[in-house]
Amino acid sequence: MASSLRSAATLLSRTAAAHPRLAARRALATSAARLQASAPEVVVSAPLAHAAADGPKFPGALHSKYTHELAFIKQSAVLPTYRVLDQDGQIVDAAQDPHVDEAWAVKVYKTMVTLNTMDMILYEAQRQGRISFYMTNYGEEATHMGSAAALELDDIIFGQYREAGVLMYRGFTIDEFMNQCYSNVHDYGKGRQMPVHYGSNKLNFQTISSPLGTQLPQAVGAAYALKRAKKPNVAMCYFGEGAASEGDFHAALNMATTTNSPVLFFCRNNGFAISTPVSDQYRGDGIAARGIGYGMHTLRVDGNDVLAVYRATQLARKHAIEHSEPVLIEAMTYRVSHHSTSDDSSAYRSKREVEDWKARDNPVTRFRKYMEAKGWWDQAKEDKHKKETRKTVLAAFAKAEREPKPPVVDLFTDVYDTVPPHLREQEKELHALMAKYPDHYSTAAYAPSK
Amino acid sequence: MASLFRPATASLRRLATTNARQLHATARLQAENPPPAEGFMPGVAHSKLIRGTPELALATPDLPAHIVKDGQTTKMNLFQAVNNAMDTALGTDDKAVVFGEDVAFGGVFRCTIGLAEKYGRDRVFNTPLTEQGIAGFGIGLAAAGHTAIAEIQFADYVFPAFDQLVNEAAKYRYRSGDQFNVGGLTVRMPAMAVGHGGHYHSQSPEAYFAHTPGIKFVVPRSPIQAKGLLLASIRDKNPVIFMEPKILYRAAVEQVPVGDYELPLGKAEVLKEGKDLTVIGWGSQLYILENAIQMAEEKHPGLSCELIDLRTIAPWDVETVVNSVNKTGRLVIAHEAPLTGGFAGEIAATVQEKCFLRLEAPVQRVCGWDTPFPLVFEKFYVPDIIRCYEGIRKAIEY
């Protein structure tokens, strides 16, 4: 085949000069021969190396240069993971030291421990039937604290559902957490949603919703508003690697770059979406590689390293504000937790694997080692804090449990800014039923409707 | 809209009014000069529902007193009125922005023409081709206290945004315990039949959204209505979906008050009073109903029909409808959207509940058949003059 092509090429070249159409056919024949001779299955990382100096200048890729080598383009190397602290709590490269002070470190560490304690008690509460549902945050404490510590109160936060530590760091009290989980009269959400669907307008933390990924394009819009208002702030958007498969993720990243919105996309890649391991979730290089595809500044960090997460978020935030650009941060971590109280992860992963991770790379322990080396923490402080925290959490828990539920009138309020006639009518109908069947529709557990 | 000018039987042909003859003439003209992409509903110019003079315009019910007093009106079609409303919103609210696909150059239906030049590309801008992104972005803007005026290019393409609108926008205030809300969000979308739109350029999705507590859904029938209702929608403290009958963009022309005015949401308008039968519709369907009523009143001397424009589908004005049916005892509802699960069912169920003993006939629903919107069969599909007339006849002859 190749030899017949070559002889055809030779024959054609003799008559090429006299006949333009033959010249074209000759060019085709020679390129066909070249194709035959090359190995199209060979994967090279940069066909650009063989490109000519000029390019077609199509509007879709204005700066793309010609290449005359046909080869699949594949990512040449897995994106590296930024780390500051090693497993022994030592700063690996002194140049990366964020130089945090003792107060900062103590607040971060104490909040991590308080989060663990609250998680432990509320998980148990669900198991005992006292609250209907809960999600713990074990293993991801550093992603919460490191990022929260780099934000300002005027930064607007959109979470997914496993960022309770962020809210805690910002100042949400144990009482406030408990009230939401118990759906009592003090819940800011008025008991309308399942536990862990926190929201706080005073802490600028948008109320959590269950649909995954919906918060991503919303964060872009909020960031655009901040930019328009000329505020030196970002919208911070948390999500998991599973949620990043949703269409909203792609819509959001694309909208963020094209509208030049100062939004930080913070992905907690913890290896699982309920039972779905990352190998069933994606085949690319995690979520970070996608940011590059959207033309976005991207960082991949060790999510179990509080200082790395802190530095990355700081840098991202600064860039986003100064350049009015989005940044994608992929924080690699491991979901020690079950997905929720409705999940027993031993059904799809070995308990051994989880124990290994807890022993090998516990973000809380890693940071504690750093603090102890600095002389900012010790066992006595640990015991004292654990004891105090447990006491506070248990007291808040008991108090929240005793509170009544919100008044039944709040079934009908806030659907719109005011209650429309048809809802007033439906409310009357319900009231009539409640009056007729008072035992069935007992309001003993509910605060009185004013 | 072919059926408007080709009555089915000889007797009905004899009944053809000046209106219908004019429709026929207009239709011939259309055949020689193909209609624009958004269609052109013939005969609207001759409709009595159109307020084509300043006097008629200033007599619009619910028009604020200062607008009537000012007295200034100007000739505008529907897309110009929509444009004017957005211009007014952008001009009076620094936090308002307009965005969507192709809005920067003026929009595929010219609704945003001139706005980017006037207010800048940071306030009137294109988005990538992503309805879910547009809706989510709008929600975020509104959650941050800004005024988001989003455009979905065709109502047929609103469905990628359905999750954001139904699960997020509609529930934003309720789920947060009123800590947050997206009242600043308005989503505009061209919709309804155009004559050649087929499956994906003709839909009326009001029923899907009417079923979602927390959002409002509004449909204007004319330029004066569009400007006032759109301004009210933008300024309403709840997320509002605003569905524009695109076949009216050029075809509906009125003298529109130049000032800044709103018309009330949640309030239907009685367009023609009558004592024997209540007829309800919205958007472009009202012009078909007007003609069907005219035909019926000529064929059945003494018959007097009451025509109501619902205007807001959610929350709808139950009181006005119930009062009317309690007066007339008979009801016909018409909409292009398919019969089953269509909004006429909601109105019919509520009316039979509240007016059961008063009703003299079953409620007639004249709707699109339960099929996707067909291209070549459009004239057989839509609730045209003949079908609406037959619905009226069934109600009065029961």
Side-chain angles (χ1 to χ4, degrees):
Chain A
M1 181 54 164
S3 57
S4 65
L5 275 170
R6 245 176 260 126
S7 54
T10 322
L11 175 68
L12 286 168
S13 67
R14 283 199 201 117
T15 49
H19 208 305
R21 241 199 302 140
L22 281 172
R25 254 194 274 159
R26 175 200 175 217
L28 192 68
T30 44
S31 64
R34 212 180 285 149
L35 191 70
Q36 185 67 26
S38 74
E41 289 86 42
V42 166
V43 169
V44 300
S45 59
L48 285 173
H50 303 279
D54 56 333
K57 297 188 177 52
F58 289 118
L62 210 51
H63 305 290
S64 175
K65 305 220 186 298
Y66 285 119
T67 174
H68 299 99
E69 171 160 350
L70 182 63
F72 292 112
I73 304 161
K74 281 204 89 180
Q75 187 177 335
S76 48
V78 175
L79 299 172
T81 305
Y82 176 72
R83 179 182 70 156
V84 172
L85 285 177
D86 65 17
Q87 291 305 331
D88 298 315
Q90 298 297 307
I91 293 190
V92 179
D93 177 355
Q96 300 302 313
D97 189 340
H99 301 291
V100 298
D101 62 24
E102 184 177 348
W104 186 98
V106 168
K107 177 178 174 179
V108 163
Y109 184 75
K110 278 186 164 178
T111 313
M112 284 175 158
V113 174
T114 307
L115 179 64
N116 286 166
T117 309
M118 184 180 81
D119 277 355
M120 202 162 47
I121 286 165
L122 281 171
Y123 187 90
E124 268 313 298
Q126 195 278 341
R127 282 284 174 264
Q128 293 167 20
R130 302 163 104 121
I131 59 173
S132 58
F133 177 81
Y134 193 69
M135 298 178 97
T136 59
N137 302 272
Y138 304 125
E140 303 184 47
E141 301 87 348
T143 64
H144 298 186
M145 308 310 164
S147 58
L151 300 173
E152 302 285 318
L153 191 59
D154 284 351
D155 294 329
I156 305 176
I157 299 184
F158 289 80
Q160 176 165 302
Y161 54 50
R162 213 183 297 276
E163 297 91 16
V166 173
L167 194 49
M168 192 180 277
Y169 186 91
R170 263 163 116 73
F172 212 55
T173 65
I174 310 287
D175 284 332
E176 289 171 322
F177 280 109
M178 295 282 173
N179 290 334
Q180 198 283 330
C181 288
Y182 272 96
S183 309
N184 69 31
V185 69
H186 303 296
D187 171 24
Y188 300 133
K190 301 181 188 173
R192 286 145 180 175
Q193 290 204 93
M194 288 165 69
V196 313
H197 290 66
Y198 312 113
S200 167
N201 54 3
K202 70 174 187 279
L203 297 178
N204 231 334
F205 190 96
Q206 298 285 317
T207 300
I208 299 296
S209 71
S210 307
L212 294 185
T214 49
Q215 70 275 23
L216 279 99
Q218 293 170 15
V220 182
Y224 194 83
L226 288 170
K227 181 174 83 161
R228 280 224 65 236
K230 296 188 165 53
K231 294 194 75 179
N233 293 100
V234 294
M236 176 66 154
C237 185
Y238 294 93
F239 57 100
E241 86 287 347
S245 294
E246 284 283 0
D248 274 345
F249 167 88
H250 304 281
L253 264 65
N254 210 17
M255 297 235 7
T257 51
T258 56
T259 59
N260 298 110
S261 293
V263 51
L264 306 188
F265 294 112
F266 191 102
C267 178
R268 293 176 294 97
N269 187 333
N270 63 16
F272 295 90
I274 307 188
S275 73
T276 306
V278 290
S279 56
D280 286 342
Q281 195 66 249
Y282 57 72
R283 292 299 160 86
D285 180 10
I287 309 308
R290 301 179 194 174
I292 298 162
Y294 283 106
M296 193 177 299
H297 279 59
T298 301
L299 295 166
R300 168 177 279 166
V301 307
D302 179 343
N304 285 4
D305 176 350
V306 141
L307 296 185
V309 174
Y310 179 57
R311 289 213 71 210
T313 309
Q314 270 186 322
L315 177 70
R317 184 178 183 276
K318 184 165 183 285
H319 180 88
I321 292 168
E322 281 174 11
H323 299 271
S324 282
E325 270 181 20
V327 178
L328 172 64
I329 301 171
E330 184 182 24
M332 309 307 295
T333 180
Y334 185 84
R335 196 197 75 198
V336 170
S337 308
H338 301 299
H339 166 69
S340 71
T341 48
S342 308
D343 177 53
D344 174 3
S345 61
S346 66
Y348 50 84
R349 64 177 178 182
S350 68
K351 287 190 174 142
R352 179 68 190 273
E353 178 190 319
V354 182
E355 292 307 315
D356 276 351
W357 269 100
K358 281 166 81 170
R360 194 158 48 84
D361 187 3
N362 181 325
V364 183
T365 314
R366 210 203 297 191
F367 193 58
R368 181 179 163 177
K369 285 177 182 166
Y370 165 80
M371 287 182 60
E372 284 178 341
K374 287 259 187 193
W376 294 342
W377 201 254
D378 56 40
Q379 191 58 48
K381 286 189 172 131
E382 178 82 11
D383 293 338
K384 180 167 180 277
H385 179 63
K386 276 217 163 101
K387 191 159 161 227
E388 271 169 14
T389 304
R390 195 175 160 77
K391 193 162 158 228
T392 311
V393 172
L394 283 170
F397 169 84
K399 192 166 97 182
E401 196 165 66
R402 284 194 301 267
E403 295 295 319
K405 302 303 176 203
V408 180
V409 69
D410 280 335
L411 200 175
F412 294 100
T413 55
D414 305 329
V415 180
Y416 303 93
D417 62 324
T418 57
V419 183
H422 72 285
L423 278 185
R424 284 269 172 248
E425 202 182 307
Q426 290 175 15
E427 194 179 19
K428 279 198 195 91
E429 190 182 331
L430 176 63
H431 284 165
L433 282 168
M434 288 166 68
K436 190 170 176 190
Y437 301 96
D439 295 329
H440 185 83
Y441 291 108
S442 167
T443 54
Y446 294 80
S449 293
K450 290 187 193 93
Chain B
M1 298 283 115
S3 56
L4 285 178
F5 48 88
R6 218 168 289 156
T9 68
S11 59
L12 286 165
R13 212 175 279 126
R14 257 179 260 124
L15 281 171
T17 60
T18 316
N19 211 17
R21 254 181 246 124
Q22 275 170 334
L23 289 175
H24 201 155
T26 317
R28 257 210 216 103
L29 194 67
Q30 301 308 312
E32 283 143 18
N33 307 298
E38 62 271 36
F40 189 96
M41 191 171 192
V44 175
H46 308 289
S47 165
K48 290 197 184 74
L49 307 179
I50 289 289
R51 295 178 179 270
T53 66
E55 294 73 33
L56 283 171
L58 296 169
T60 298
D62 301 310
L63 212 53
H66 72 276
I67 293 292
V68 180
K69 186 151 171 266
D70 172 68
Q72 285 189 80
T73 65
T74 189
K75 185 172 166 188
M76 282 188 196
N77 62 25
L78 194 86
F79 77 71
Q80 289 166 331
V82 166
N83 182 278
N84 189 228
M86 287 193 279
D87 192 350
T88 306
L90 290 163
T92 53
D93 176 0
D94 244 351
K95 291 187 168 161
V97 293
V98 169
F99 53 94
E101 294 152 24
D102 303 295
V103 302
F105 89 102
V108 292
F109 296 121
R110 331 288 279 146
C111 292
T112 49
I113 203 153
L115 297 180
E117 292 84 342
K118 186 169 177 184
Y119 295 100
R121 291 291 285 260
D122 64 318
R123 294 188 70 190
V124 180
F125 52 94
N126 291 338
T127 63
L129 215 166
T130 167
E131 287 76 14
Q132 67 193 108
I134 291 166
F137 181 86
I139 289 166
L141 265 167
H146 287 226
T147 302
I149 306 167
E151 177 176 304
I152 298 292
Q153 198 158 84
F154 285 88
D156 315 61
Y157 309 139
V158 76
F159 301 106
F162 201 71
D163 185 40
Q164 285 285 352
L165 293 171
V166 165
N167 265 339
E168 299 286 316
K171 298 169 172 57
Y172 218 89
R173 186 192 293 275
Y174 192 79
R175 75 188 188 200
S176 73
D178 199 24
Q179 291 187 95
F180 302 106
N181 73 77
V182 293
L185 175 67
T186 305
V187 180
R188 293 178 38 249
M189 55 184 81
M192 302 176 76
V194 294
H196 54 267
H199 296 1
Y200 304 114
H201 298 81
S202 313
Q203 290 180 51
S204 306
E206 68 270 5
Y208 299 108
F209 294 104
H211 191 56
T212 304
I215 42 178
K216 295 192 176 182
F217 199 98
V218 178
V219 191
R221 68 172 186 274
S222 77
I224 294 173
Q225 293 294 311
K227 177 176 169 177
L229 291 172
L230 181 53
L231 273 167
S233 300
I234 290 168
R235 292 163 176 167
D236 191 274
K237 306 243 180 296
N238 300 285
V240 181
I241 299 177
F242 191 80
M243 189 172 87
E244 298 162 2
K246 52 187 168 326
I247 204 175
L248 298 178
Y249 274 148
R250 290 173 188 267
V253 181
E254 288 183 311
Q255 284 289 328
V256 179
V258 303
D260 183 343
Y261 70 94
E262 293 172 38
L263 292 172
L265 302 189
K267 194 159 173 237
E269 187 182 336
V270 178
L271 302 182
K272 174 186 179 296
E273 284 191 23
K275 54 173 178 53
D276 303 314
L277 169 71
T278 303
V279 180
I280 299 176
W282 46 89
S284 44
Q285 189 65 30
L286 290 162
Y287 302 99
I288 312 288
L289 289 170
E290 182 194 14
N291 285 318
I293 287 171
Q294 193 164 12
M295 197 174 281
E297 287 178 349
E298 282 176 18
K299 190 165 164 62
H300 307 263
L303 172 68
S304 110
C305 301
E306 181 151 292
L307 180 61
I308 298 179
D309 176 4
L310 204 61
R311 299 201 291 187
T312 300
I313 309 298
W316 65 285
D317 186 353
V318 177
E319 193 183 347
T320 297
V321 171
V322 165
N323 286 346
S324 176
V325 180
N326 276 335
K327 181 172 70 173
T328 64
R330 296 165 205 269
L331 176 60
V332 174
I333 313 156
H335 60 61
E336 287 174 14
L339 176 73
T340 299
F343 199 68
E346 164 61 34
I347 299 171
T350 302
V351 162
Q352 65 87 32
E353 186 191 315
K354 294 182 181 299
C355 310
F356 187 70
L357 292 174
R358 180 66 191 90
L359 284 168
E360 301 292 337
V363 174
Q364 298 296 319
R365 295 182 292 160
V366 189
C367 304
W369 310 117
D370 285 333
T371 72
F373 199 108
L375 179 72
V376 75
F377 308 119
E378 176 165 331
K379 75 174 187 198
F380 300 102
Y381 174 87
V382 292
D384 64 4
I385 286 185
I386 297 305
R387 285 185 56 204
C388 290
Y389 161 72
E390 283 292 314
I392 291 172
R393 190 188 57 75
K394 279 190 205 140
I396 60 181
E397 289 179 359
Y398 187 78

